[in-house]
Amino acid sequence: MTMKVEQFVMAYKVEQDRLRAMLPEGFESLRPVLRINAEIRKTDKDETVYVELNTPVAAFNKRGWLNIANWKSPATDISYERSGAAVTFQCPFLEITYTGVSVEGGCPAEKDNDGCFFIGEQTDFRTTEVIDQNKEFCDCQFEWKFADGDAHGISIGGKSVPACPTEPQQTYERQELSAQAAASINCEQILGSYVVRFER
């Protein structure tokens, strides 16, 4: 069954040492980045919303993303609302708005991406999905809501900025890999966001 997907992507810069403190053994942090993906998925039978949080890593001779957490409606209360060029996703722990700026381009991180690791009883590696449609840059505003003081940020201009790795400077106490831990890391800068529409 063909699925029509509207995929929204936003990456933001954080302190890389905080990421290192929560990565499982065998995973290396590649860049000081967290990425929020949100998808509106439509088939002839239904429509669902999917949100995930990732960070770039290297492990098992592969380079790509590590899935920190993912959520899907209706199991999780996720909704979206359109207002002109803006699409806002809302759930109890996150609000994020993507606003298209009518400029197309590519994503720098795509050239360093073999796929995505999903950790469960066994680690599952899913190879990169090939998407041949153009991406439209967006402005983005977001706020995590797990706890007071969680990360939030806003971008203006729809630009994409690369993130360079940083050398270790501080050793933090180990934390369990979780969305709550990641959301508590301050957003230093939104690096870029886009929307792409395709069939899966």
Side-chain angles (χ1 to χ4, degrees), residues 45-65:
K45 293 184 177 181
D46 64 4
E47 176 179 282
T48 57
V49 181
Y50 173 84
V51 175
E52 68 178 15
L53 175 63
N54 304 320
T55 189
V57 298
F60 310 108
N61 297 315
K62 297 183 183 298
R63 297 169 68 89
W65 297 88

Side-chain angles (χ1 to χ4, degrees), residues 30-49:
L30 291 179
R31 296 181 297 280
V33 173
L34 287 169
R35 184 182 73 175
I36 301 171
N37 294 352
E39 292 186 353
I40 301 170
R41 301 171 171 178
K42 295 182 180 180
T43 67
D44 292 338
K45 293 184 177 181
D46 64 4
E47 176 179 282
T48 57
V49 181

